[in-house]
């Protein structure tokens, strides 16, 4: 399994500002994923981030709004840009477990935009 | 397109009684199926998976799930519920081509003392 940490664990931000969320894994992984979970809802995949290539975004999510970096095999960041109250959610990163087929999830970042 | 359905938003069960949380799926090819649990203010924790083999899969915390190919179901079960099992449960299917997960809408389990 993989142990994943995220920073910050929560934040309250003003409308129009940006927040960068960090995801750190304790082992090298090829595929990382970023999800959004709106209050009381299921998880929606934002993008897949592979090291050495541009992130692949899902329908409804764009790079200008959610830029992602993946500088190495243990780290990724997701930025939520020009925030509005509708961006208030939990943001989770996960990694693909390879041959185990599982995904391992970080604890999430709870974002509130006022 | 692959999909997962959890028909119940909430399941209530008395402590000590058996519990079932339902999940049905639609995939092309062989399904890779998973159950995760989310406690308040926490990330998702893996419970169990079906990849191949025995239809009855045993997982963490006494949970098990039965894979039923003819009914395209993968229901989560536990013989005797605990109050501490109260949480949000997600069923998911893994896309074999992209490695992405498709999650169900989640079922909130409430175990009453």
């Amino acid at each position: 399994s993989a142990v994943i940490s995220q920073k910050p664990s929560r934040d309250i931000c003003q409308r129009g500002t940006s927040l960068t969320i960090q995801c750190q894994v304790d082992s090298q992984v090829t595929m990382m994923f970023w999800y959004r979970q709106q209050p009381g809802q299921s998880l929606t995949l934002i993008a897949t981030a592979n090291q050495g290539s541009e992130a692949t975004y899902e329908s409804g999510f764009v790079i200008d709004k959610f830029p992602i970096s993946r500088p190495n095999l243990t780290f990724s960041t997701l930025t939520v840009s020009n925030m509005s109250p509708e961006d208030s959610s939990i943001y989770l990163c996960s990694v693909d477990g390879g041959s185990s087929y599982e995904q391992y999830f970080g604890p999430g970042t709870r974002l509130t935009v006022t | 397109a692959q999909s997962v359905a959890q028909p119940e938003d909430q399941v209530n069960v008395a402590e000590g009684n058996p519990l079932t949380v339902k999940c049905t799926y639609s995939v092309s090819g062989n399904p890779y199926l998973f159950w995760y649990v989310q406690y308040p203010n926490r990330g998702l924790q893996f419970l169990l998976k079906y990849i191949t083999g025995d239809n009855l899969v045993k997982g963490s915390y006494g949970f098990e799930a039965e894979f039923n190919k003819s009914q395209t179901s993968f229901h989560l079960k536990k013989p005797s519920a605990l109050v501490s099992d109260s949480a949000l449960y997600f069923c998911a299917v893994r896309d074999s081509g992209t490695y992405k997960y498709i999650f169900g809408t989640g079922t909130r389990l409430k175990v009453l003392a």
Side-chain angles (χ1 to χ4, degrees):
Chain A
S1 66
V3 177
I4 303 169
S5 59
Q6 286 185 234
K7 291 181 181 179
S9 58
R10 58 177 62 225
D11 207 341
I12 300 173
C13 299
Q14 298 276 355
R15 170 197 300 263
T17 62
S18 297
L19 177 71
T20 296
I21 301 168
Q22 299 178 9
C23 179
Q24 179 75 53
V25 189
D26 69 342
S27 58
Q28 295 185 336
V29 294
T30 302
M31 303 184 72
M32 296 181 76
F33 305 91
W34 285 98
Y35 291 88
R36 181 173 73 184
Q37 185 181 23
Q38 294 179 306
Q41 304 289 320
S42 185
L43 281 75
T44 301
L45 182 64
I46 297 171
T48 303
N50 292 334
Q51 194 268 337
S53 62
E54 295 288 327
T56 303
Y57 290 83
E58 298 298 305
S59 176
F61 297 95
V62 295
I63 188 171
D64 289 346
K65 176 68 175 177
F66 296 102
I68 288 171
S69 77
R70 182 79 201 274
N72 57 52
L73 291 173
T74 63
F75 188 78
S76 178
T77 66
L78 168 76
T79 299
V80 186
S81 302
N82 189 24
M83 288 184 285
S84 67
E86 291 71 34
D87 294 319
S88 297
S89 292
I90 298 172
Y91 292 85
L92 297 124
C93 70
S94 73
V95 303
D96 182 75
S99 60
S100 74
Y101 303 104
E102 297 158 33
Q103 279 191 20
Y104 304 107
F105 286 82
T109 295
R110 182 178 293 272
L111 171 62
T112 302
V113 183
T114 60
Chain B
Q2 303 191 92
S3 65
V4 171
Q6 294 182 243
E8 303 155 318
D9 290 337
Q10 181 159 321
V11 170
N12 295 327
V13 63
E15 186 175 30
N17 283 2
L19 69 87
T20 299
V21 183
K22 295 180 180 177
C23 172
T24 59
Y25 65 89
S26 174
V27 302
S28 55
N30 294 323
Y32 293 173
L33 296 161
F34 304 83
W35 277 102
Y36 284 80
V37 60
Q38 186 178 35
Y39 297 100
N41 302 313
R42 304 281 291 277
L44 270 69
Q45 296 180 32
F46 169 77
L47 279 179
L48 50 78
K49 64 186 177 187
Y50 173 82
I51 305 300
T52 186
D54 290 341
N55 290 341
L56 185 63
V57 178
K58 294 189 183 296
S60 306
Y61 312 120
F63 284 93
E64 58 189 29
E66 185 169 10
F67 171 66
N68 188 316
K69 189 172 183 177
S70 63
Q71 296 185 4
T72 62
S73 67
F74 188 56
H75 300 332
L76 181 70
K77 300 181 179 185
K78 187 173 183 180
S80 179
L82 300 172
V83 172
S84 57
D85 293 329
S86 298
L88 187 57
Y89 290 80
F90 290 101
C91 183
V93 62
R94 183 178 189 257
D95 185 304
S96 59
T98 65
Y99 306 100
K100 294 188 293 188
Y101 274 23
I102 296 98
F103 282 90
T105 50
T107 298
R108 189 165 299 281
L109 174 67
K110 192 169 185 179
V111 181
L112 307 170

